Amino acid sequence: MAAPRYRQLADTLRAAIACGDYPVGGQLPPELELAQTHAVSRHTARDAIRLLTEAGLIERRRGAGTTVIASASPQAYVQPLGGVDELLQYAHTARLKLLAQEQRRLSEAEVQRIGGDVDRTWLVVDGLRIADALPLALSRIYVPQPTPAAGQSVHALLDERFGAAAGRIDQEITAEILSPNDAKMLKVEPGSAALRTLRRYHDDDALILASDSLHPGGRFVYAMRYRREG
């Protein structure tokens, strides 16, 4: 069965970008011109551009057109689904850019989601995970207080907590559609598919940290190997 027309067009444009017909820093033709050149509908051209945007090859900005930002798609971050060490690997290899932080009590919805204590004060950190200069995830991290030691940075605190001997990590994975604001932060088209991961890090039975992250489709892969026993 032939691939949908928008995927065929995306592959054609991907090849043109790779061979330098549309160099990095240059402009991709607008939707209408692509539609006319390749004899497709404007909707087909728009979907092809969406695929290239999600692949990290182009970037669309209002008033500035569509700019080529890479000649090849960066490899997706591969997260092994194994033990605690494999899950901690993500926190240490994907750089966290801090966006906001505050100390507050959790909302009822947050309590139900992460299982935290509603009567306790938490450090709530919003950040952007970055790998190979490409946004990998929007993360909200919850750390139960007491307040960090005087002079301790948020990064140092998170490194300390992620590096702690978490005896158990609970993880939930769901599929979602990105909101326009989240899509903008992650540099993908609004309405794009995303993978949401919720992780709760426990030391014995105590929750020492929780992270709630949104990963754009195509930039994050879970890998698990099964072996037949017997």
Side-chain angles (χ1 to χ4, degrees), residues 6 26 38 42 59 72 78 92 96 123 125-127 129 139 147 154 157 163 169 195 204 212 215-216 225:
Y6 71 94
H38 297 275
R42 190 164 183 174
E59 183 177 65
V78 178
H92 295 300
L96 180 67
L123 175 64
V125 177
D126 288 329
R129 289 281 182 191
S139 296
T147 307
V154 172
L157 173 65
I169 301 177
L195 196 66
D204 293 328
D212 195 357
H215 310 268
R225 177 175 296 174

Side-chain angles (χ1 to χ4, degrees), residues 75 81 131 182:
Q75 289 189 340
L81 268 179
D182 290 341

Side-chain angles (χ1 to χ4, degrees), residues 18-91:
C19 72
D21 290 345
Y22 302 117
V24 174
Q27 297 288 304
L28 202 67
E31 288 176 4
L32 183 57
E33 184 177 336
L34 286 174
Q36 293 172 344
T37 301
H38 297 275
V40 298
S41 69
R42 190 164 183 174
H43 181 75
T44 295
R46 183 179 299 120
D47 281 346
I49 288 175
R50 173 179 57 81
L51 291 182
L52 297 181
T53 303
E54 292 175 356
L57 295 174
I58 61 176
E59 183 177 65
R60 304 183 75 182
R61 292 183 180 176
R62 183 172 297 176
T66 303
T67 304
V68 178
I69 59 174
S71 59
S73 298
Q75 289 189 340
Y77 182 92
V78 178
Q79 170 69 72
L81 268 179
V84 169
D85 289 343
E86 284 80 4
L87 288 180
L88 289 175
Q89 166 194 331
Y90 173 70

Side-chain angles (χ1 to χ4, degrees), residues 134-164:
L134 192 68
L136 183 65
L138 278 170
S139 296
R140 174 163 288 180
I141 301 171
Y142 301 88
V143 184
Q145 297 300 275
T147 307
Q152 184 181 31
S153 69
V154 172
H155 274 299
L157 173 65
L158 296 180
D159 285 343
E160 173 188 292
R161 290 300 176 94
F162 277 118

